[in-house]
Amino acid sequence: MKLYLRPILYTATFLLSAACENEIPYNPGQGQPVLVLNALLETGEHSTNYVFLHQSNGIDIGKVDDDATLRLYINDVLAETPKELEKEETIPYNPQDWPNRDGYEEYLPYIGFKKFRISTPLNPGDHIRLEATAGNGTMHAVAETYAPSAPEAFRADTSTVRLEDYREPYRRYLIHVSDHPNERNYYRLDICNDFLVRYHYYLHKTDENGNELKDEEGHYIHIRKDSLARQDYISEIINREDMILTGGHVSHSQKEEDNAMFPRIENKYNIFSDAYFPNASTTLKVYTSCYNDFTAKAPTFSTYVCDLETYCTQTIRIRLHALTEDTYRYLQALNCLEDDDYDNALMEPVSLPCNVQGGIGFVSVSTPYEISLTLPERWCKRE
């Protein structure tokens, strides 16, 4: 998911000057290369987890040595030696970003970081340790964390409403959450919209020798086929009316949110703790787009596709993640650094948490609980 790449790269690009224990250090006089290790992992058999490895000299981010390795330990037992992804998998080709394929091919050798895929499933309660080496063993970075217990089961009620400042209708969610008793808990909410697109396309009917067949009037005979493709979106959540997600700074319109006299840091990662409802329950109120104007991407095959016969099935996945306290602090820092209202000259400096020994970076594991809602198949537009 896109959420996970951008935060981890902040660790590599924001080398902050206010250093203290368990925060990312910065010493411009050091100049000694160190590894930058980042991963935001999830538990679950079907979770796809990646680890990113950079190299830094304290000022700039450089290319990681080709001999860099990564090892995963679970509960102090070597579980996997993840393999590095090929460059094409690290940054897949996207025609919108690279109109010229030759330019993309020329760029691939200059990718400086390494991306590793973890295939071993992680489970709640696991103690996780990642060890990275490079420079013929001269650089060694270790990060340790644990996977928190799953959140309590929750339920969600949905309805379609109209919001001030928005012309199109939005989907409202009332999410009823219960807290784990007698402990401090931290959470993150995300909502994904997955579309299964069904294309109808037509092939020429052929005989056993591959010759295209025609009917009695000389027209080619076609066979209709189906093709399926997926498009996934992490929805932008509007949380301005929720007391917990806004930290008590509730607003009811974009005009109220853009108040220059009283700026506030937006909770774009939708993190919260149980401080407002310890040992109790609460209801979060948020909104997302309905995606009524969803447009399917053009199919990758060149065979004729009927414009009027493209359909999609929308599945809404509402996920509540249990976080460690360090992960909560890390996402809190990112909320500040990415907010347009944050001014490091006027506001308190932000330091990113660091749990990497012998290097810099941040590694965490969250445990999600998910409920899903699948809507009936409908016709959709196509690029």
Side-chain angles (χ1 to χ4, degrees):
M1 296 184 175
K2 294 180 182 179
L3 167 68
Y4 306 113
L5 178 57
R6 188 175 181 186
I8 60 178
L9 294 181
Y10 263 93
T11 308
T13 54
F14 281 86
L15 300 175
L16 304 175
S17 57
C20 62
E21 186 178 1
N22 292 328
E23 293 180 347
I24 291 181
Y26 173 54
N27 185 350
Q30 180 182 0
Q32 188 70 24
V34 296
L35 292 176
V36 183
L37 180 62
N38 290 290
L40 299 180
L41 311 174
E42 287 185 7
T43 62
E45 183 178 354
H46 302 292
S47 294
T48 303
N49 288 314
Y50 298 101
V51 179
F52 296 81
L53 192 62
H54 299 71
Q55 184 173 316
S56 172
N57 61 7
I59 300 177
D60 299 318
I61 300 298
K63 192 170 183 178
V64 184
D65 294 334
D66 291 335
D67 68 344
T69 63
L70 182 71
R71 293 186 298 276
L72 167 68
Y73 294 84
I74 300 178
N75 301 323
D76 296 324
V77 176
L78 179 62
E80 184 180 353
T81 303
K83 295 187 180 297
E84 177 191 357
L85 270 64
E86 298 293 335
K87 299 296 186 182
E88 291 82 357
E89 292 183 273
T90 300
I91 300 183
Y93 174 71
N94 185 342
Q96 295 179 346
D97 298 331
W98 299 93
N100 186 343
R101 176 80 190 201
D102 292 338
Y104 170 76
E105 299 288 350
E106 293 175 1
Y107 169 75
L108 288 178
Y110 295 95
I111 297 176
F113 66 92
K114 294 183 181 295
K115 183 178 179 181
F116 299 84
R117 180 188 290 114
I118 292 179
S119 57
T120 303
L122 308 178
N123 298 300
D126 282 346
H127 176 267
I128 308 298
R129 185 169 83 250
L130 286 173
E131 294 189 4
T133 60
N136 294 321
T138 59
M139 289 182 287
H140 184 218
V142 180
E144 296 188 62
T145 187
Y146 71 94
S149 301
E152 295 287 345
F154 66 93
R155 65 181 179 88
D157 299 318
T158 67
S159 61
T160 303
V161 300
R162 292 200 174 267
L163 292 175
E164 186 176 346
D165 306 325
Y166 294 94
R167 180 177 300 176
E168 299 297 326
Y170 269 65
R171 181 164 283 110
R172 185 185 69 183
Y173 302 83
L174 297 178
I175 302 172
H176 310 281
V177 179
S178 297
D179 184 42
H180 276 309
N182 304 318
E183 60 183 64
R184 176 54 64 88
N185 297 287
Y186 303 90
Y187 305 97
R188 178 171 66 84
L189 174 69
D190 72 47
I191 299 175
C192 302
N193 276 266
D194 301 339
F195 291 88
L196 181 64
V197 182
R198 182 165 61 92
Y199 303 95
H200 286 315
Y201 66 99
Y202 296 86
L203 295 176
H204 290 297
K205 186 175 182 180
T206 59
D207 59 21
E208 61 274 9
N209 297 319
N211 300 313
E212 296 177 348
L213 300 179
K214 297 182 180 180
D215 60 20
E216 296 178 352
E217 298 180 355
H219 300 134
Y220 286 106
I221 301 175
H222 296 90
I223 302 175
R224 195 175 85 165
K225 299 281 188 178
D226 281 346
S227 178
L228 298 177
R230 291 187 177 275
Q231 293 179 227
D232 302 334
Y233 299 90
I234 297 180
S235 303
E236 180 181 357
I237 295 176
I238 299 175
N239 59 22
R240 65 192 186 193
E241 295 182 10
D242 188 81
M243 177 70 68
I244 293 176
L245 293 175
T246 62
H249 301 286
V250 175
S251 61
H252 298 281
S253 68
Q254 190 65 43
K255 184 178 181 180
E256 290 183 39
E257 286 190 284
D258 296 338
N259 191 332
M261 294 293 294
F262 303 99
R264 66 180 180 87
I265 301 300
E266 182 182 356
N267 184 6
K268 67 176 296 181
Y269 289 103
N270 297 287
I271 57 173
F272 60 100
S273 73
D274 61 357
Y276 283 93
F277 60 106
N279 302 332
S281 301
T282 191
T283 299
L284 306 175
K285 181 168 70 170
V286 297
Y287 304 87
T288 71
S289 170
C290 290
Y291 290 92
N292 291 336
D293 59 348
F294 169 76
T295 301
K297 294 179 181 177
T300 56
F301 46 84
S302 59
T303 309
Y304 174 70
V305 179
C306 182
D307 289 329
L308 300 179
E309 298 186 65
T310 301
Y311 302 89
C312 67
T313 301
Q314 179 181 358
T315 298
I316 305 169
R317 297 190 294 121
I318 307 168
R319 305 204 304 165
L320 185 67
H321 301 253
L323 308 177
T324 64
E325 182 178 1
D326 285 345
T327 306
Y328 176 78
R329 290 180 57 227
Y330 181 76
L331 295 177
Q332 262 191 327
L334 291 182
N335 274 328
C336 292
L337 293 173
E338 296 184 6
D339 196 281
D340 293 337
D341 286 335
Y342 175 72
D343 188 332
N344 57 7
L346 302 176
M347 298 181 180
E348 184 177 350
V350 175
S351 294
L352 289 169
C354 172
N355 61 357
V356 177
Q357 303 298 319
I360 57 177
F362 189 77
V363 173
S364 75
V365 185
S366 66
T367 299
Y369 181 86
E370 176 182 309
I371 59 176
S372 62
L373 169 66
T374 300
L375 305 181
E377 185 181 61
R378 68 176 190 265
W379 173 85
C380 65
K381 296 180 289 184
R382 181 173 61 82
E383 292 178 352

